[in-house]
Amino acid sequence: MQNSKPNVARSDRPTAVLPWLIALLAVLIGGALWLLFPKADLERQLANTQDDSELSLNYLTNLLESDPDNERLLSLLKAKQQRQIEIKRAAEVASTHVLPDASEVAWSRWESLYSRYQEAEKFSSKATRQIEQLRLEVLEALRAIPRQGLSKEQTFYLASSSLALRDMPLAMSLYQELAHISPDTEQKSKVYADASRQLLGFSQYEEASQLLQSASKTTQDPRQAQLSA
């Protein structure tokens, strides 16, 4: 009788999934959904979600290929891309500032969880129980970061991450916290104006307008708040 162990060993050997294959599958799935679901329904679903995953962007790209002059889809794609740019910009600026010793461990834990969440969401077109649970863990880790001594840029990165994680109250509280500790009215007004600009990057127009009004009320020169934004 022949020994079957080599065959078993070969079948149990893990197979790496190549990144280009994952990307190809994402494009194929996006194209299949575009064919399976009515365009109007898919367009409505994309418009009613803050999902900025790679699959979501692929859906939009496929829709625009068949309807390149659709202003609503173009605006939606631009908004999603702008949110990604805003998060990247905030992260890059924050990384140039040294963390306080008291915040370093908690910040590292939060960034690790946040990276896991972003990776899990990358090719997901809708929330799953696991992704939602991870989102809550990321927010919990974010709230646990000692904020005393953080730079303005680091706090703004936490705020933009809160927006990406769909926690508007947390983002607004971070903005207000920064404004409260600002040493004078001019810097407080600039915090509100910068926060307003960040909110605009996330298509949060009502909240951006509220903070811009706060900037105008705080500064000694209302025109400066408008110029800052």
Side-chain angles (χ1 to χ4, degrees):
M1 181 181 295
Q2 295 182 345
N3 193 340
S4 60
K5 287 184 178 180
N7 292 332
V8 174
R10 282 193 296 269
S11 64
D12 289 343
R13 185 178 302 161
T15 303
V17 180
L18 299 176
W20 67 264
L21 181 57
I22 296 175
L24 177 60
L25 288 173
V27 173
L28 292 175
I29 293 172
L33 285 175
W34 179 78
L35 292 173
L36 289 172
F37 294 98
K39 185 172 76 170
D41 290 346
L42 187 54
E43 181 179 331
R44 191 181 309 111
Q45 180 182 349
L46 290 170
N48 293 333
T49 181
Q50 290 293 313
D51 175 24
D52 297 327
S53 67
E54 196 157 324
L55 275 179
S56 177
L57 293 175
N58 282 332
Y59 298 161
L60 274 173
T61 302
N62 286 329
L63 287 172
L64 282 168
E65 285 180 356
S66 65
D67 192 5
D69 297 323
N70 188 318
E71 293 185 2
R72 186 186 185 200
L73 290 178
L74 287 169
S75 176
L76 186 59
L77 179 62
K78 183 178 179 181
K80 289 179 180 293
Q81 291 174 332
Q82 182 60 39
R83 285 196 289 272
Q84 291 186 333
I85 291 171
E86 192 66 38
I87 295 171
K88 184 178 179 181
R89 179 188 297 124
E92 289 175 347
V93 174
S95 67
T96 64
H97 292 253
V98 178
L99 284 167
D101 292 340
S103 305
E104 196 168 352
V105 173
W107 184 285
S108 179
R109 179 177 182 275
W110 165 69
E111 279 198 318
S112 177
L113 284 170
Y114 194 22
S115 296
R116 283 175 51 196
Y117 170 80
Q118 290 172 316
E119 189 65 27
E121 195 189 38
K122 190 173 183 181
F123 294 112
S124 175
S125 63
K126 59 183 179 180
T128 64
R129 182 178 299 178
Q130 292 82 1
I131 291 178
E132 177 62 14
Q133 180 60 38
L134 187 53
R135 182 183 76 86
L136 296 176
E137 290 179 18
V138 176
L139 283 169
E140 182 180 357
L142 192 156
R143 293 189 186 95
I145 296 173
R147 295 196 287 273
Q148 186 175 2
L150 291 181
S151 69
K152 171 187 168 183
E153 291 75 14
Q154 288 165 341
T155 304
F156 265 103
Y157 178 37
L158 295 181
S160 70
S161 300
S162 302
L163 292 172
L165 292 162
R166 306 191 301 279
D167 195 331
M168 175 63 73
L170 178 56
M172 295 296 282
S173 71
L174 289 168
Y175 296 139
Q176 294 293 350
E177 185 177 299
L178 265 180
H180 180 71
I181 63 176
S182 296
D184 55 55
T185 56
E186 298 300 324
Q187 292 193 37
K188 182 177 293 188
S189 175
K190 190 174 187 309
V191 166
Y192 283 132
D194 289 344
S196 175
R197 182 170 57 248
Q198 189 173 77
L199 285 164
L200 285 174
F202 281 83
S203 304
Q204 302 296 330
Y205 304 114
E206 182 178 350
E207 290 80 3
S209 177
Q210 292 173 1
L211 290 187
L212 188 57
Q213 290 176 15
S214 296
S216 297
K217 292 176 182 177
T218 302
T219 186
Q220 297 174 356
D221 183 1
R223 291 174 299 176
Q224 180 179 340
Q226 294 176 359
L227 291 173
S228 299

